[in-house]
Amino acid sequence: MKGIVLAGGSGTRLFPLTLATSKQLLAVYNKPMVYYPISVLMLAGIRDILIISTPSAVPVMRGLLGDGSKLGLNLSYALQDEPRGIAEAFLIGADHIGGDSSALILGDNLFHGSGLRELLRSSRRSLDGCTLFGYPVADPERYGIGEVDSEGMLVSIEEKPRHPRSNNAITGLYLYDEQAVDLARGLAPSARGELEITDLNREYLRQGRAKLVELDRDYTWYDCGTHDSLLTASQYVQYTEKYLGERVGYLEEIALRMGFIDAEACYQLGAGMRESNYGRYLTEIAYALD
């Protein structure tokens, strides 16, 4: 399975913060926002990841993350010069995906939960068509909402419904089989001129091969696209790390736990940042986890 992080867009909801930088490079507590979606793909066992971003942001992200080899990953980069819809990621990333299945995650989404690794890996193993992830929200009229039957198969998808049939907001994490690129190529732009991810999901729904995994309250999901959600996500990560002692989105630690790198590599990555709490933590746990 290939991974894609869609980290484009102009971040207008976060102006003036994003007037001079990409939204996905803003800090969520103690690390860049883009670390969190990459960490989700890593937990799913995905090592070949394409990062799609704007012409101004790609060089900075490449400077931040490199080719991924230090983390046991293969990172590549592609441009989306202007936002033309989430589903365009499959056109931009067609060569990257090849004939493989794929996982797409939005660059401003944060997922966390103690069972996340196994949930993602089991979702990969059982993938047949597309698998979406729903999260219960108090205001479903603001989201794309998925309605499921008793077996978790999608029955309907509604965008910002006036009378929601459920409170399951469809999050920014999507798993697709090998058909995704071809189906995306067949999509027509919406009224706003974009290739909508909802239209792609409805193609799988029409085939009867769309599943929604419901994330319960044991999991946390944030879309960090507004000032309030960015602050709330930062506070969540701070609380989880400082008071619960559980780290969120540490790429080096995840690489070690997943067997992508060894203890010495993790230690050296931490030693290069030893003046920060982040770096010191990596040096402390490198051999303890080996």
Side-chain angles (χ1 to χ4, degrees):
M1 177 174 277
K2 303 293 179 59
I4 296 178
V5 178
L6 183 57
S10 52
T12 54
R13 291 183 298 167
L14 285 168
F15 280 175
L17 292 176
T18 49
L19 287 174
T21 190
S22 165
K23 169 174 62 175
Q24 290 81 15
L25 292 169
L26 296 175
V28 177
Y29 184 46
N30 57 355
K31 59 191 77 69
M33 187 187 296
V34 73
Y35 273 41
Y36 297 95
I38 292 174
S39 74
V40 172
L41 297 181
M42 293 172 66
L43 287 170
I46 299 171
R47 303 174 72 168
D48 198 348
I49 300 171
L50 174 69
I51 299 174
I52 300 174
S53 195
T54 63
S56 61
V58 162
V60 184
M61 290 192 183
R62 193 189 302 273
L64 173 68
L65 299 164
D67 63 3
S69 58
K70 291 181 179 180
L71 297 169
L73 305 177
N74 177 27
L75 298 182
S76 54
Y77 302 84
L79 301 180
Q80 186 183 47
D81 53 2
E82 61 182 65
R84 285 183 288 265
I86 295 172
E88 191 191 30
F90 293 99
L91 307 187
I92 297 171
D95 290 341
H96 166 72
I97 295 170
D100 208 341
S101 57
S102 57
L104 170 66
I105 187 168
L106 304 186
D108 58 2
N109 272 223
L110 183 157
F111 294 84
H112 182 245
S114 59
L116 185 59
R117 173 179 172 177
E118 183 50 41
L119 177 67
L120 294 170
R121 292 170 72 86
S122 65
S123 296
R124 276 190 65 178
R125 290 191 296 268
S126 62
L127 178 64
D128 178 19
C130 83
T131 296
L132 312 179
F133 296 83
Y135 191 79
V137 294
D139 47 355
E141 64 279 355
R142 295 183 53 240
Y143 298 89
I145 297 298
E147 179 189 10
V148 299
D149 63 18
S150 59
E151 297 181 352
M153 300 304 293
L154 268 173
V155 175
S156 69
I157 302 173
E158 297 180 285
E159 283 295 326
K160 300 180 179 179
R162 291 186 179 181
H163 304 288
R165 297 179 184 178
S166 84
N167 68 337
N168 274 315
I170 297 175
T171 66
L173 174 63
Y174 318 86
L175 306 184
Y176 295 101
D177 69 3
E178 298 82 358
Q179 291 188 9
V181 172
D182 287 339
L183 290 175
R185 284 174 174 150
L187 297 179
S190 65
R192 59 179 184 169
E194 297 190 0
L195 297 179
E196 306 289 351
I197 197 68
T198 297
D199 290 339
L200 177 60
N201 295 335
R202 283 179 175 145
E203 283 296 311
Y204 282 99
L205 177 61
R206 183 181 59 80
Q207 297 177 16
R209 298 194 308 124
K211 180 180 180 181
L212 183 75
V213 174
E214 300 181 55
L215 301 175
D216 59 29
R217 292 300 183 182
D218 290 334
Y219 297 93
T220 297
W221 167 62
Y222 289 106
D223 171 351
C224 305
T226 67
H227 295 104
D228 285 343
S229 61
L230 179 63
L231 175 61
T232 303
S234 293
Q235 291 171 330
Y236 171 81
V237 175
Q238 180 195 39
Y239 178 83
T240 301
E241 295 193 2
K242 189 172 182 179
Y243 298 104
L244 301 184
E246 183 176 351
R247 298 308 194 271
V248 185
Y250 278 59
L251 302 184
E252 299 84 355
E253 179 183 10
I254 293 171
L256 178 60
R257 290 182 181 274
M258 296 295 294
F260 298 169
I261 62 174
D262 61 21
E264 178 61 19
C266 182
Y267 181 88
Q268 291 301 329
L269 289 170
M273 299 180 282
R274 64 169 57 91
E275 298 304 317
S276 69
N277 290 333
Y278 186 103
R280 285 192 292 273
Y281 171 74
L282 294 177
T283 61
E284 290 167 3
I285 58 93
Y287 287 99
L289 296 179
D290 191 29

